[in-house]
Amino acid sequence: DEEEGEEDEVRPIPVNYENAKKVQAVYARLVLVEQRVVQAEYPRRHEYGDLTARERVVKVCRILQISPIYYRIALGNMKDQVRRVFR
């Protein structure tokens, strides 16, 4: 039945623009290389195909010419700043 199939469709989660602006403000304050880390981890993750998280980190670090430790620190810093904004 066609109507049942429509009910099974995944509906996109509506964007909360107020929250998105807060996250964007944190992102905008990051230095460029840290923005690239965040991009690799979130909106551009699909560009790394079937790589595991570890393989993706290694590849991104090679591209950005940073260490995996710096990658993890940059990502953790972004997450911490976002958490603080929403407290």
Side-chain angles (χ1 to χ4, degrees):
D1 184 275
E2 203 171 307
E3 285 183 25
E4 285 181 26
E6 288 177 18
E7 289 178 19
D8 292 340
E9 288 182 34
V10 177
R11 294 185 184 154
I13 298 171
V15 175
N16 182 319
Y17 289 100
E18 185 178 323
N19 287 349
K21 286 178 185 178
K22 291 176 183 178
V23 174
Q24 180 62 33
V26 172
Y27 173 83
R29 289 191 302 266
L30 299 175
V31 295
L32 183 60
V33 70
E34 292 178 2
Q35 289 179 348
R36 298 293 183 252
V37 167
V38 172
Q39 289 173 12
E41 195 67 25
Y42 297 104
R44 298 179 68 177
R45 182 182 281 190
H46 69 279
E47 293 178 19
Y48 299 95
D50 294 332
L51 295 180
T52 65
R54 181 184 200 116
E55 293 167 335
R56 186 178 62 255
V57 169
V58 169
K59 184 170 183 173
V60 172
C61 287
R62 193 171 352 104
I63 292 167
L64 298 177
Q65 299 179 353
I66 61 173
S67 72
I69 292 170
Y70 184 77
Y71 182 101
R72 288 182 184 88
I73 290 170
L75 187 59
N77 179 46
M78 173 68 177
K79 289 178 180 180
D80 287 345
Q81 288 184 54
V82 169
R83 278 188 205 104
R84 275 187 244 129
V85 168
F86 288 98
R87 280 190 188 151

